[in-house]
Structures are given as structure tokens and as C-alpha cells.
Amino acid sequence: MTTHAQFASNPGHALSWYAATANQKSVRPALQGEVVADVCIIGAGFTGISAALELSERGYKVVVLEAERIGFGASGRNGGQIVNGYSRDLETLERRYGAEKAHALGAMSLEGGKIIRERIDKYAIDCDLRHGGFFAAFTQKQIRDLQAVKAKWERHGHEHLEVVSHEDVASYVKTNRYVGGMIDKRGGHIHPLNLVLGEAAAAESMGAIIFENSRVENIGTGNEPVVATSKGTARAKHVLVCGNAYLGKLLPKITDRMMPVSSQVMVTEPLEPGLIESLLPADYCVEDANYVLDYYRRTADNRLLYGGGIGYGGQDPSNLTAIIQPNMLRTFPELTQAKIDFAWSGNFALTLTRIPHVGRISDTVFFSHGDSGHGVTTTHLLGKILGEMVAGHAERFDIWASLPSLPFPGGKTFRVPLTMLGAWWYGMRDRLGL
Ligand SMILES: Cc1cc2nc3c(=O)[nH]c(=O)nc-3n(C[C@H](O)[C@H](O)[C@H](O)COP(=O)(O)OP(=O)(O)OC[C@H]3O[C@@H](n4cnc5c(N)ncnc54)[C@H](O)[C@@H]3O)c2cc1C
């Protein structure tokens, strides 16, 4: 790997291409002493910052406490893919929760992407937005599954998907690995760290205060819960817990319903413009249809950003490039000589249902986490919904909070090996084309 010496350092972040190319690198102060606000938000990822922005727009006094840096977690490290919908398809939601709830969730399923685009526009956020996503199929079975997904979305009134044949794959990605795929014109990709930084700056412009390096160690209950870090306290009428996979042991009552899972991302050196354009001619982002999937896209400076791999329990593997590079070369053998400039890992929160876990800890403390690998859009939606909840409009929050959440089988000791076994089984089915 080359060094990152050509970029100004960005302490406290993973050594990622995102941190190296962030629009803002200055560190916000840590909380000292006492602050009083209407709402205290724990965690400055997409969920927390989306809620902060929604509430700031509504005129609330907001304070955000972030253990590390804004976007330190999954929000500043992900593949940057704007994937509409949830980590379970609408058919599964209907079977599980009934037609009425599935319909309500279906009606919200494009809103996250819409919120992102509206905010980029409204606050002139410079985060390399590109439009269009491609879901790649290895087998005819996956094509049939994509066709079924498209039909279901159309029943909910969404007309933005198109299944494409083998011959048309080359318009989106130049590889012989896929038999076809599906395009989503309302998908797309962004520089996620610059998006969350831009949204944070927008909230700050309306009075929100964001403290970095301020890990919350205790959350009180009652009418005005006091939230404590090692150096200060925040007193607020409402507390929103948005720590996701990085929450640790803060609230064992809710964290036993999610498991941190790591995914790995690698970025090449800048490629010849002609080469990267030939590999991804439409500049769509791509993810494949396997259970453990590869996801990739172009960056604004003509690199290939390639992700994949999975680590249940949130392990941070030391040999990141060795995990991802062989997959990249299977997709694009012409990149054998391409140098890898960056590789990093990050954790998302997985729930057993693969649907976010949203709810109340008390009358004044609420939480949302567990987007289960597809969270760029859902976190924006749920952050907004947390804001609506605080503002007294609980209807949509209550729909999410009513969805049952389940602890992982096997308790603390066996939940990781049992989940790995399940993933191995689904991975095997993909390899056998079942
Ligand atoms: C490598 C990777 C690739 C991904 N790719 C995609 C993709 O391409 N498309 C997609 O849709 N989704 C993707 N995801 C998922 C998506 O990034 C996440 O679902 C989403 O960013 C979660 O946002 P969040 O705000 O809930 O959590 P996070 O972004 O993890 O933010 C939580 C924040 O809370 C802070 N925090 C935790 N505990 C405390 C505490 N006690 N006190 C103060 N602060 C605290 C953390 O430091 C962190 O900054 C990916 C995830 C990973 C890890």
C-alpha cells in the first residue's frame, strides 16, 4: 500500500480514503461542564445527525455527543451506495407484519434516498452525488428473484426498477461474471463522510452543538434525563440513542438485540480515466445478489472503491487487502497491476430480523439502530422519524417501534458462531446456485 502522506491527517478516523478526502478536518471540542438542551443525541452518524438536522430545522435546541469524530462509525466508512428499501424484501415484511404495516413500510422505503438528495440540494453539500445503482446476478435464480423484487415494488407504486439481460450488463459493468441484473434509477452513490459532515454543518448553522471525543458513559431517566461523559453532563427533555454498532455495553437491554458485524473496503490508486470509465461506463454503483456480497463503485477521483467480506461479532481483520483484492480481480482481471492505496474495516449493526430496531427506553429516551448492512437511506429516514417523534408526531415512530425485535439465539457465547453457521449455509447456497 502507498502511504497517505499526500493527504492532510485526520486524527480519530479510520485510515480511509474518506477521512483523507474529507471536506472538513478540524476537531470540534469535547463536552466540558454542563449543557442544557431540548434534545441530547448520542452518536454523530447518519442516524444521529439526520435527527439533529430535522430537529434543528424545527427550532429545537440540540446537543450531539459523539464518542470519537463525526462519521467515525459506519456512516463515515461505508460503500457510499444509496440503496433503496430495507435489508428484507417487501414480501417478507408482508408475511411477517401483515399487509397494513408492510404497506406503511413500503410507502416509506424511498424516502431515505429522497431526504439525502433534498439535503444535498438545500444545503449545497459537496459529496460527489451520482445517480443510479446496479444489482448484479450470477445465476438465473437470482434474476428470477430480482424480477420478483421488481414486481413487489411496483405493487407499492415504485416504477424505477428495470431488469436487464446479459447483453446489457456491459452498459453498467464490464465483467463476464454476471448473467444479468437490475438497475435502480433512484439508487446512486455519495462520499458518505462528506455527506454526514455537510449535514452536521447544516445543523450547526441552525444552532445545534456537536461535541466530539465525548463518549457517553451513563444515561439517566426521568423527565429531564442527564447524560454523562467523563468530563461533563448534558441535561435535556429528550435523549436519542444513535450509537448503533459502536454503542458497546452502554445499554445492555437494547444491545443484546443487535450484533456488530464488520465489512471491509479497499480503494485503488487513481486509474486512467479511460480505464475506470470502461469498467463502470454508467458510473452506477454495483452490488451483487449474493448473501455475502461484493459492492463497488467509482470515486470522484477515478479510483475503484471495492467492498465485501464480513466479520460477525465486529472483528477487525488485519489482512484486509488479502480478503478483498482477490474478489476485485475476479470481477476486473485488468486491475492486476493497480496499487491499493487504502483499506479499512467498519462495523454495522445486524438484527436477527434484518429490520432496524426502534423503540423507547423510557418516556424520554428513544433509540434506533440495526440497519443490517443497508443503512445509508434507512438511517436518514429513521433519524427524521426520531425527530418527528420528539416533535409530538409519533405515528411513524410507533409503526417501527411495533415491529418485534428478537435476541440472537445462543446468548452472548454462541450467537456469533450460530450466525456464522447460518451465513455459511446461505453462502453455500449462492455458490451452488440454489
Ligand atoms: C464497511 C461498511 C460498508 C457499508 N456500505 C453500505 C452501503 O454502501 N450502503 C448502505 O446503505 N449501507 C452500507 N453500510 C451500512 C451503513 O453504513 C450503516 O447502516 C449506517 O451508516 C449506520 O449509521 P448510524 O448512524 O446508525 O451508525 P454509525 O455511523 O455507526 O454511528 C454511530 C456513532 O455513534 C457513536 N457512539 C457510539 N457509542 C457512543 C457513546 N457511548 N457515546 C457517544 N457516541 C457514541 C460512534 O462513535 C459512531 O460515530 C455499510 C456499513 C459498513 C460498516
Side-chain angles (χ1 to χ4, degrees), residues 80 82 113 116-118 120-121 125-132 186-191 195 283 297 300:
I82 300 174
I116 291 171
R117 286 182 168 90
E118 279 170 3
I120 290 174
D121 203 31
I125 299 173
D126 174 12
C127 64
D128 308 335
L129 172 65
R130 302 285 185 278
H131 302 285
R186 293 175 71 168
H189 54 100
I190 35 95
H191 183 308
L195 173 60
D283 203 356
R297 64 182 184 85

Side-chain angles (χ1 to χ4, degrees), residues 43 45-47 65-67 74-75 78-81 216 243-244 246 295 346 373 375-376:
F46 284 148
T47 307
L65 301 178
E66 164 54 49
S75 301
N78 61 57
Q81 306 212 356
V216 172
N244 207 38
Y246 291 87
Y295 50 93
V376 170

Side-chain angles (χ1 to χ4, degrees), residues 64-267:
V64 181
L65 301 178
E66 164 54 49
E68 310 285 344
R69 304 287 311 278
I70 295 168
F72 163 85
S75 301
R77 308 181 191 208
N78 61 57
Q81 306 212 356
I82 300 174
V83 181
N84 291 304
Y86 312 114
S87 291
R88 278 291 172 269
D89 60 41
L90 295 174
E91 193 170 28
T92 308
L93 301 186
E94 201 169 306
R95 224 176 22 246
R96 271 193 206 156
Y97 311 127
E100 200 180 320
K101 277 188 187 160
H103 186 74
L105 296 173
M108 291 182 235
S109 59
L110 287 179
E111 193 176 324
K114 194 163 159 263
I115 295 168
I116 291 171
R117 286 182 168 90
E118 279 170 3
R119 288 181 178 167
I120 290 174
D121 203 31
K122 182 169 177 186
Y123 298 108
I125 299 173
D126 174 12
C127 64
D128 308 335
L129 172 65
R130 302 285 185 278
H131 302 285
F134 181 69
F135 298 93
F138 292 100
T139 63
Q140 291 304 328
K141 152 102 177 41
Q142 289 178 343
I143 292 281
R144 288 193 295 278
D145 290 347
L146 290 172
Q147 275 160 344
V149 166
K150 176 176 181 288
K152 262 289 178 239
W153 276 84
E154 283 169 358
R155 275 184 40 199
H156 287 266
H158 303 321
E159 301 278 346
H160 50 100
L161 300 172
E162 189 185 324
V163 174
V164 301
S165 65
H166 180 59
E167 297 75 62
D168 291 331
V169 170
S171 306
Y172 303 97
V173 47
K174 185 183 158 218
T175 180
N176 58 15
R177 292 188 82 192
Y178 308 130
V179 300
M182 181 171 76
I183 57 169
D184 178 359
K185 294 180 193 134
R186 293 175 71 168
H189 54 100
I190 35 95
H191 183 308
L193 183 56
N194 279 337
L195 173 60
V196 73
L197 285 168
E199 293 176 297
E204 287 172 321
S205 73
M206 285 173 280
I209 302 174
I210 304 176
F211 293 104
E212 294 186 309
N213 296 307
S214 302
R215 176 172 297 280
V216 172
E217 296 176 345
N218 189 53
I219 305 172
T221 49
N223 278 349
E224 287 217 348
V226 175
V227 174
T229 70
S230 64
K231 295 197 180 114
T233 55
R235 194 150 44 81
K237 295 187 190 78
H238 299 282
V239 176
L240 304 178
V241 182
C242 307
N244 207 38
Y246 291 87
L247 204 49
K249 297 191 175 123
L250 186 62
L251 288 165
K253 232 164 104 183
I254 57 170
T255 42
D256 76 346
R257 308 280 153 131
M258 57 120 146
M259 181 194 295
V261 174
S262 71
S263 179
Q264 290 77 48
V265 179
M266 199 186 76
V267 173

Side-chain angles (χ1 to χ4, degrees), residues 320-386:
L320 298 174
T321 307
I323 295 173
I324 306 297
Q325 199 173 21
N327 298 348
M328 178 188 84
L329 293 178
R330 266 194 291 278
T331 309
F332 299 122
E334 45 279 82
L335 295 184
T336 319
Q337 300 302 322
K339 280 203 283 173
I340 306 305
D341 274 358
F342 296 87
W344 66 90
S345 185
N347 291 345
F348 62 85
L350 184 77
T351 61
L352 193 65
T353 59
R354 306 301 193 262
I355 289 296
H357 183 199
V358 176
R360 294 173 175 80
I361 293 165
S362 69
D363 288 346
T364 47
V365 183
F366 315 113
F367 66 92
S368 172
H369 58 219
D371 300 285
S372 299
H374 283 125
V376 170
T377 57
T378 327
T379 48
H380 278 83
L381 169 70
L382 287 168
K384 182 175 166 66
I385 288 178
L386 286 172

